[in-house]
Amino acid sequence: MASRRRVLLKVIILGDSGVGKTSLMNQYVNRKFSNQYKATIGADFLTKEVQFEDRIFTLQIWDTAGQERFQSLGVAFYRGADCCVLVYDVNVAKSFDNLNNWREEFLIQASPPDPENFPFVVLGNKIDVDGGNSRVVSEKKAKAWCASKGNIPYFETSAKEGFNVEAAFECIAKNALKNEPEEELYLPDAIDMAGGQQQRSAGCEC
Amino acid sequence: MEEAESYPPIDPSNFDLIVIGTGLPESIVASAASAAGKTVLHLDSNPFYGSHSASLPLNDFIPFIQSESQPQSRNLTSDDYVSTPVATRPLYSAVETNSYSSEPTENSRKFNLDLAGPRVLLCSDSMIDLILKTGINQYMEFKSVDASFISSADGGLENVPDSRSAIFKNRGLSLTEKNQLMKFFKLVQRHLGDDETEDDKISDQDLESPFVEFLTKIGLSQKLKSIILYTIVLADYDQENLEACKDVISTKSGISRLALYHSSIGRFPNANGAIIYPIYGQGELPQAFCRRAAVKGCIYVLRMPVVAILNDKDSGEYKGIKLVSGQELFSPKLIIAPSFTIPSTPNHDAQVANSDDVSLSDTKKVARGICITKHSLNTQVANCLVFFPPRSLYLEQSTSVRVLQLSSNVAVCPSGMFVTYLSAMCDDNVQGKKLLNAAINALFSVPISGNSENSGASNLSEHAEEKPCLLWSTLYIQELTTFQGGLDSISKTPMPDEHLHYTDLLDATEKIFKEIYPNEEFFPSINVSNDDEGGGSELDS
């Protein structure tokens, strides 16, 4: 079956504003980090090719595009996700407390066929800040929460230092691949619009 | 006070443009303004995107149209400005729901029911061009509507011969009719062709005449005329009763609609015909435009009712809005969804108030219906259109009834079910319901326990066993509002119209944008990078 489904994996990154969602994906895909924080403008999604057992997959990582700021992500954002990454800032207690809301919001909006086994991955970001002295959420506490939600894989990361980012996304990709898609949606294939007189260009618009 | 605390403060408080409502026209304008570099705040009182263009889970659908069936108003005062309370006026009426099985309601969230169905996209229409131009095809996917049918004289459904190969395969046409139709399509092709031979062109006099007269003149059979007028050119009103017809289609416009239809066939390599439909429903479109806007910096706040419009104390000019939280926000321009009314205050006439009164006296209406079944109208196809031309259901039927059946392969219903949308233009609720009920009775078997009024059911019983049985249905009447922009600072967007396509709605939307930003391009061309080559993002810029 030549379904696009088998090669394209949709990953969405959720979490409070300012926890480093855009930085994490940027570090993973472009190996870049910017110290200047501004609420996300211009971030859409990034893609990266990953290889598993001789097969190449395209990981499509979707940013919230700032629509998470007032909890205004529409249902379309969540649809068809193969893996949901939940990010919090280890230095901000509220961002950890809100993980539960983000997880529930995802399960309601995306309504995956098997919610119990839908792949989530949790990232505790910004472990580099102040040499770890300003940290308020312990690794133990985070791991306990992950365990209580069906053993969600947990990673501590620093998007700034690039620490553990590669490993986290490797796990994300692996889990996305395990997700069983709803076959019916991909039979027959969706319309191929790129072939329809669309102006093609290789560069990005920046 | 408790309520106010649950509404977050919005920062900043000054914008170039504030848009209230996330229906498709509002979402396109928000996206276009953001693309033009304007700072935009986009608000909706609902917890979901789409307003009157939304696709909703089954159990949310009826409460939404019912809540929009009653006028609502809030009142709050402002210290520094004249505060005009915002009210909503009813846009839906005569909602009538029948449930014959609990199965649909038990699977509520697996449904994505369009509020403004039936609606489809033609592969070459202006909406598809905009989707490609803005790159929002990265956020959406489409599938083919596999076939079109027209109700035949004996009550059955016949394939619409809309292309050469379809004419060839068609079994409902005589050989003479096939030749006539083939000749006609060739004639249209020659007329539109580049060859500057006078003989090949349709005369100016013919182009200005009613299309139906031209079709008669070139000798097409009654059946062929009906097929062309109502399934390809998509006429609303009976074209053969020119005196009573409210919208006579000229040959010129008939030919251009036919050309659009034909150029839609084959535009995308793996589309089956001219027509496609978005996976997860029409409500994906406003969401895609909103995401596009968000990527360009537009700020989104759902669940945020607006209670008042703020006007300058001296000049009466529009200044800003007041939210339910009490916060006041300011912008030189405001766009509001069609459900809002702003009653005029004693001293200061609100800038859009008058247009409401005018439009209400002469509103057109569209009757819409949704039916859920477990079987397809035609076992060969999953997604299809069905047309009931004027006078095909009963003698006094003056408008066309259009039907769109969709399956779970476009993710609008649970696996094994089908959702069918119906619509017809009408003068009043009684006429609208009669049109839809006649079509429903022709297509489906309605369980006896239902309370709908089925007058002409006698001659249908013979086919009853072959027809899909209704599990759930709803009928409602939607007001049609016309474009009401151009009143200085406040523009009001139109309701989803009676058409099967988006062309007119998109034209009206572009006009609104041009009125408020006459010097800006409506979506400047950008190079949209292909999604397998890095996503078109500009992170860390």
Side-chain angles (χ1 to χ4, degrees), chain B residues 426-443:
Chain B
C426 60
D427 294 327
D428 57 60
N429 296 359
V430 175
Q431 190 195 27
K433 291 283 179 75
K434 187 180 174 189
L435 284 160
L436 296 195
N437 277 321
I440 288 171
N441 284 319
L443 294 170

Side-chain angles (χ1 to χ4, degrees), chain B residues 4 20 64 67 94 113 155 164 174 229 235 247 279 296 308 365 403 420 426 430 468 473 495 497:
Chain B
I20 307 173
F64 179 81
S67 73
L113 300 181
R164 285 181 188 207
S174 68
L229 288 168
D247 181 21
I279 299 180
K296 296 287 179 188
K365 293 166 192 253
V403 180
T420 303
C426 60
V430 175
S473 70
M495 276 298 276
D497 59 32

Side-chain angles (χ1 to χ4, degrees), chain B residues 245-265:
Chain B
C245 182
K246 290 181 187 166
D247 181 21
V248 178
I249 292 169
S250 69
T251 303
K252 192 176 175 183
S253 110
I255 296 281
S256 81
R257 292 198 211 175
L258 192 72
L260 172 68
Y261 194 99
H262 279 170
S263 67
S264 293
I265 299 171

Side-chain angles (χ1 to χ4, degrees), chain B residues 143-352:
Chain B
K143 281 194 186 168
S144 283
V145 173
D146 310 304
S148 293
F149 300 98
I150 184 166
S151 82
S152 62
D154 63 358
L157 299 178
E158 282 181 18
N159 265 297
V160 169
D162 53 6
S163 66
R164 285 181 188 207
S165 64
I167 295 173
F168 185 69
K169 282 187 277 184
N170 194 285
R171 289 184 198 156
L173 298 177
S174 68
L175 200 59
T176 322
E177 283 175 320
K178 286 188 179 187
N179 280 332
Q180 280 183 340
L181 196 55
M182 210 66 117
K183 265 170 74 185
F184 173 66
F185 284 169
K186 279 182 189 160
L187 178 128
V188 171
Q189 221 164 35
R190 280 201 308 273
H191 171 73
L192 296 165
D194 294 330
D195 300 338
E196 289 295 324
T197 358
E198 282 293 314
D199 300 349
D200 289 344
K201 301 290 174 193
I202 298 165
S203 74
D204 285 349
Q205 195 189 343
D206 279 341
L207 286 175
E208 296 308 320
S209 71
F211 196 33
V212 63
E213 286 180 359
F214 179 71
L215 297 178
T216 309
K217 185 178 157 186
I218 59 166
L220 294 189
S221 73
Q222 194 57 37
K223 189 172 176 177
L224 293 178
K225 281 196 280 186
S226 206
I227 287 169
I228 291 164
L229 288 168
Y230 304 109
T231 76
I232 297 177
V233 170
L234 303 173
D236 294 308
Y237 293 95
D238 190 347
Q239 300 292 310
E240 298 192 64
N241 185 353
L242 290 173
E243 280 146 42
C245 182
K246 290 181 187 166
D247 181 21
V248 178
I249 292 169
S250 69
T251 303
K252 192 176 175 183
S253 110
I255 296 281
S256 81
R257 292 198 211 175
L258 192 72
L260 172 68
Y261 194 99
H262 279 170
S263 67
S264 293
I265 299 171
R267 179 174 190 190
F268 302 120
N270 65 338
N272 292 340
I275 293 162
I276 57 175
Y277 183 87
I279 299 180
Y280 297 110
Q282 300 292 351
E284 296 296 287
L285 263 173
Q287 289 190 76
F289 278 105
C290 288
R291 182 173 168 89
R292 195 79 208 131
V295 167
K296 296 287 179 188
C298 180
I299 294 179
Y300 277 91
V301 190
L302 298 179
R303 296 173 220 89
M304 182 60 86
V306 173
V307 292
I309 302 290
L310 305 175
N311 297 67
D312 188 86
K313 274 183 173 167
D314 301 321
S315 67
E317 272 174 26
Y318 162 77
K319 286 288 166 193
I321 57 165
K322 190 175 185 111
L323 304 177
V324 69
S325 60
Q327 190 178 2
E328 295 181 352
L329 300 167
F330 306 95
S331 66
K333 302 282 180 190
L334 178 71
I335 300 229
I336 54 175
S339 47
F340 292 105
T341 57
I342 302 157
S344 47
T345 53
N347 300 323
H348 302 273
D349 284 341
Q351 286 150 311
V352 293

Side-chain angles (χ1 to χ4, degrees), chain B residues 476-496:
Chain B
Y476 54 100
I477 309 292
Q478 184 216 297
E479 304 291 330
L480 290 169
T481 57
T482 42
F483 168 60
Q484 290 166 351
L487 290 149
D488 297 335
S489 307
I490 306 178
S491 306
K492 190 187 265 196
T493 56
M495 276 298 276

